[in-house]
Amino acid sequence: MKLFVDTANLSEIQNVLETGTISGITTNPSLLAKEPKGDFFVHIEKIVNICRNSDNMPLSVEVFAKDAKNMYEQALEIYDRLEYSNLNIKIPIGYEEIKVVNLLANRGIDVNCTCCFTASQLELAALAGARYVSLFYNRLLDVQGNPLKVLRKTNKFIDTNDLNCEIIAGSIRKAYDVSSAWNSGAHIVTAGYKVITEMTKHYQTDNSVQGFLSDFEGWIE
Ligand code: E4P
């Protein structure tokens, strides 16, 4: 089970990498849109350089073309321009889109098939050759879905078929989502900087530390 950071913010990435808990980075167009306006490739190349200096960790970069044909062309352009061996291209799930997933996979380009909400979507993308398949955990909860059940079913499918594919649980909003997703079949959880910092907190931790310190201060001369 692995933790990725879900952000395009350079300082957040650098900061969270110092914890030693992160083994990958995911981005998407909305995350990029939160950054200062600039050139797409210039910004992504800065993230690629961070990855290169961090054991070549995997980086997901999403296409922003609107139809499958253009997604394929754009995926090739992104892959060729970034020249990063552990880059995976994010392609949203769809019937025409899984053909793109298959074309890219057959060219040896890793794909993260994203925007998935059902086991069928995740499983079909995995069969098409996706290296990663991404479930939108809280967006599914928003519409009364059951992401834990979806994770369990998909994990069993991938395991039974011995597919070289890992499930990423994204759309993570709370610290407890991370362990819930890991323990329900997500190989990877990708969480934002704030969620990752929240994972270290509990009010009883603060109480305990304060109690130790005040007891000790009463003892030491
Ligand atoms: C995965 O990388 C997804 O793009 C991301 O986690 C979506 O999160 P959101 O539902 O907060 O936009």
Side-chain angles (χ1 to χ4, degrees):
M1 296 173 193
K2 292 173 276 189
L3 182 62
F4 286 12
V5 62
D6 199 22
T7 183
N9 183 283
L10 303 177
S11 55
E12 286 181 355
I13 292 170
Q14 294 279 23
N15 192 309
V16 78
L17 284 177
E18 289 176 29
T19 66
T21 61
I22 302 301
S23 48
I25 301 170
T26 54
T27 67
N28 66 41
S30 296
L31 291 171
L32 271 169
K34 291 178 178 177
E35 300 310 306
K37 270 186 175 295
D39 180 89
F40 171 80
F41 284 103
V42 168
H43 189 92
I44 296 293
E45 275 160 1
K46 289 176 181 172
I47 302 176
V48 167
N49 289 333
I50 294 172
C51 291
R52 283 201 176 97
N53 295 322
S54 309
D55 300 323
N56 282 331
M57 64 171 51
L59 167 63
S60 283
V61 177
E62 189 159 347
V63 295
F64 46 88
K66 292 181 171 51
D67 61 78
K69 181 182 180 305
N70 288 320
M71 284 180 191
Y72 180 64
E73 298 303 328
Q74 192 173 70
L76 295 180
E77 180 194 6
I78 291 170
Y79 190 80
D80 291 343
R81 280 191 61 172
L82 293 177
E83 293 182 316
Y84 181 50
S85 59
N86 210 358
L87 178 72
N88 56 88
I89 304 291
K90 269 186 167 183
I91 303 286
I93 185 67
Y95 183 72
E96 293 305 322
E97 288 81 352
I98 55 174
K99 295 177 185 175
V100 176
V101 172
N102 190 243
L103 280 171
L104 293 170
N106 290 340
R107 290 179 70 124
I109 297 174
D110 283 349
V111 176
N112 177 351
C113 190
T114 190
C115 301
C116 296
F117 290 81
T118 67
S120 303
Q121 289 177 319
L122 294 160
E123 292 161 356
L124 213 56
L127 284 178
R131 173 68 185 79
Y132 304 98
V133 289
S134 290
L135 173 68
F136 277 32
Y137 189 97
N138 273 283
R139 290 195 193 207
L140 181 55
L141 282 173
D142 290 344
V143 291
Q144 293 72 53
N146 185 339
L148 301 184
K149 184 177 176 185
V150 171
L151 287 170
R152 284 192 292 270
K153 284 173 71 174
T154 308
N155 183 290
K156 185 178 178 198
F157 179 89
I158 287 172
D159 193 41
T160 305
N161 288 282
D162 193 26
L163 298 172
N164 179 30
C165 180
E166 292 181 285
I167 306 166
I168 299 177
S171 189
I172 298 294
R173 297 177 189 158
K174 300 287 183 194
Y176 55 76
D177 294 340
V178 180
S179 52
S180 299
W182 271 334
N183 292 304
S184 298
H187 301 101
I188 299 161
V189 176
T190 192
Y193 172 76
K194 186 173 179 303
V195 167
I196 295 170
T197 60
E198 289 299 320
M199 288 175 73
T200 64
K201 294 177 184 170
H202 192 284
Y203 69 93
Q204 278 290 69
T205 301
D206 299 336
N207 293 341
S208 302
V209 170
Q210 287 312 312
F212 291 154
L213 293 176
S214 59
D215 291 345
F216 190 71
E217 277 162 14
W219 176 81
I220 194 162
E221 301 298 342

